[in-house]
């Protein structure tokens, strides 16, 4: 998936419309993808439909205007672990 496709999917899942928050969301998406990569998730898994839920959840977890309160949820951490074991050939089947 392209960056634009991931952004639109995240916005859909979070119920965000318009483009006003796109730069902020893109930053959070990059942070979440970097976290997943550093955790050992393969790049093609991160860029696949399989990771959309985790990326959306991670963005939602970081979407916090309170200073110092952002942390990843238990669901996000569990899904990140699962994605580490996902095979590289993640088709849409």
């Amino acid at each position: 998936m392209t960056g634009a496709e991931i952004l639109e999917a995240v916005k859909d899942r979070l119920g965000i419309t318009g483009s006003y928050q796109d730069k902020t969301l893109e930053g959070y998406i990059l942070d979440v993808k970097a976290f997943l990569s550093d955790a050992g998730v393969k790049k093609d898994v991160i860029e696949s439909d399989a990771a959309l839920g985790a990326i959306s959840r991670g963005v939602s977890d970081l979407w916090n205007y309170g200073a110092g309160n952002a942390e990843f949820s238990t669901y996000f951490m569990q899904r990140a672990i699962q994605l580490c074991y996902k095979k590289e050939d993640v088709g849409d089947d």
Side-chain angles (χ1 to χ4, degrees):
M1 297 185 80
T2 67
E5 290 171 328
I6 292 172
L7 174 63
E8 287 308 311
V10 167
K11 288 169 62 174
D12 287 345
R13 288 170 182 240
L14 299 180
I16 298 171
T17 59
S19 60
Y20 176 72
Q21 297 291 345
D22 283 4
K23 292 296 181 192
T24 301
L25 292 169
E26 287 170 347
Y28 288 144
I29 289 168
L30 288 175
D31 289 344
V32 171
K33 288 169 67 174
F35 181 94
L36 292 171
S37 178
D38 291 347
V41 179
K42 295 170 185 72
K43 181 178 178 176
D44 52 342
V45 173
I46 293 170
E47 302 296 332
S48 74
D49 290 343
L52 280 178
I55 292 171
S56 299
R57 179 74 252 168
V59 169
S60 179
D61 291 345
L62 295 176
W63 187 273
N64 183 340
Y65 291 113
N69 293 330
E71 62 183 45
F72 288 122
S73 63
T74 302
Y75 170 80
F76 173 82
M77 297 302 281
Q78 290 172 341
R79 189 65 182 127
I81 292 167
Q82 291 173 336
L83 290 171
C84 285
Y85 294 99
K86 192 100 173 132
K87 292 183 180 175
E88 292 184 47
D89 57 338
V90 289
D92 293 332
D93 305 341

